[in-house]
Amino acid sequence: MALTRRRRASLQRAGLYAVMIIAGAMALLLADWASIARVFFNPQIMADMMPEAITVGVRNTIFYTVGAFTFGFVFAVILALMRLSPVGPYRWIATGYIEFFRSIPALITILVVAFGIPIALGARVPGGILGTGSVGLGIVAAAYMAETLRAGIEAVPLGQAEAARSLGMSSGKAMMFIVLPQAFRIIIPPLTNELVLLIKDTSLLFVIGTTPLTKELTKFARDFMALTANATPLTVAAILYLIITLPLTFLVRRLERSAGKGRRSATDRENRQESKKAEAAT
């Protein structure tokens, strides 16, 4: 007797559950949990890492992230406006910058800012390691945020700018006071996601060299692991990264849901208005 489609789907799901249960049982039975606990969850090492893991590692990670995001966001606004400019050379420069820095590893950009520019020009980024790390990450983040901003600006209905122009606003004022505020509301979720990525990308800054007081979280954990010959510091770093990033991840999801509801509401209003116009016309 041939199986129905629903029956086949039920059997496939049951098979997948069975594979998962068997794999989990094998992991529980075969793993050396005592060794895992000793290497990855040593309570004494966890205690020894505190409070420096927070006062140094987490603090510097947040400082680097805020500095890079601030620099990158300001630069991204300029790039997005250049990308949408009616002047051809502005568009070409912005497009070239965005495509270039989105195509090369962030690590190369950080190395160039930290070592290439001082060698070539004899000048360093102000602010020491904090300034160098923030600018290196911000240069790359600006390329990604610029495209996000451009998409947000283009998502604002053209009627908004046209209405502002009809009230006597110049193109610049209409962009600054009408279009950009609405674009920012649209792009808050992807910008928050970019912030989460920046938090994790601060782990690349170990290549520029750090002092005991400027270590970010990953560098702090690596140095502690070298001292203890144990992987527990990596576990602590992972937990602290989760504590920082998970609230932001949940915030992104909430903002995306809110933005989706707002767009659906706006679409419903527009549809109702079109229906009323059609009824009035008939």
Side-chain angles (χ1 to χ4, degrees):
M1 182 178 179
L3 296 175
T4 63
R5 182 179 299 176
R6 179 177 297 179
R7 181 62 176 168
R8 285 198 300 271
S10 298
L11 290 175
Q12 288 174 354
R13 284 196 298 270
L16 292 174
Y17 278 119
V19 170
M20 182 181 66
I21 292 171
I22 293 171
M26 291 179 64
L28 289 172
L29 293 173
L30 298 178
D32 185 355
W33 292 106
S35 178
I36 291 173
R38 184 178 65 257
V39 174
F40 290 97
F41 300 96
N42 189 307
Q44 183 59 51
I45 295 177
M46 289 182 176
D48 292 341
M49 292 180 68
M50 299 298 167
E52 287 82 8
I54 297 174
T55 59
V56 175
V58 172
R59 181 199 64 184
N60 289 331
T61 296
I62 293 174
F63 283 171
Y64 289 128
T65 302
V66 172
F69 187 84
T70 303
F71 176 85
F73 181 76
V74 173
F75 198 10
V77 173
I78 298 172
L79 287 171
L81 295 177
M82 290 175 63
R83 184 82 164 76
L84 297 171
S85 172
V87 181
Y90 282 0
R91 293 198 306 274
W92 304 333
I93 292 171
T95 301
Y97 179 97
I98 291 168
E99 295 303 324
F100 179 78
F101 283 102
R102 290 173 68 188
S103 301
I104 66 173
L107 189 60
I108 291 179
T109 304
I110 294 169
L111 289 172
V112 169
V113 173
F115 304 112
I117 291 177
I119 293 172
L121 304 178
R124 293 184 178 275
V125 175
I129 295 174
L130 176 60
T132 301
S134 298
V135 171
L137 286 175
I139 286 173
V140 179
Y144 289 93
M145 288 193 283
E147 279 297 275
T148 302
L149 281 164
R150 179 192 61 79
I153 291 171
E154 291 182 338
V156 176
L158 291 175
Q160 299 290 322
E162 293 172 354
R165 295 294 302 277
S166 67
L167 294 174
M169 282 189 176
S170 64
S171 298
K173 287 185 177 180
M175 176 63 71
M176 183 64 63
F177 298 108
I178 302 299
V179 177
L180 280 179
Q182 295 185 63
F184 288 152
R185 286 197 293 271
I186 295 171
I187 63 173
I188 283 176
L191 280 184
T192 308
N193 193 55
E194 181 63 33
L195 179 62
V196 173
L197 294 175
L198 271 177
I199 291 172
K200 292 181 286 187
D201 284 347
T202 57
S203 61
L204 299 173
L205 296 179
F206 77 93
V207 297
I208 65 177
T210 55
T211 66
L213 295 179
T214 60
K215 296 177 182 178
E216 42 73 40
L217 187 54
T218 300
K219 174 63 173 173
F220 180 86
R222 286 182 55 177
D223 289 351
F224 219 94
M225 183 176 66
L227 291 174
T228 59
N230 191 282
T232 299
L234 298 181
T235 303
V236 173
I239 292 171
L240 292 174
Y241 273 119
L242 286 172
I243 292 173
I244 298 171
T245 58
L246 279 180
L248 291 172
T249 304
F250 292 142
L251 177 61
V252 169
R253 292 176 183 173
R254 290 194 58 139
L255 291 172
E256 287 175 345
R257 286 196 295 267
S258 299
K261 291 178 181 178
R263 285 193 293 268
R264 287 194 296 271
S265 298
T267 302
D268 292 340
R269 285 196 298 271
E270 291 176 0
N271 291 336
R272 287 196 296 270
Q273 290 174 357
E274 292 296 331
S275 298
K276 289 180 181 178
K277 290 179 181 178
E279 290 176 359
T282 55

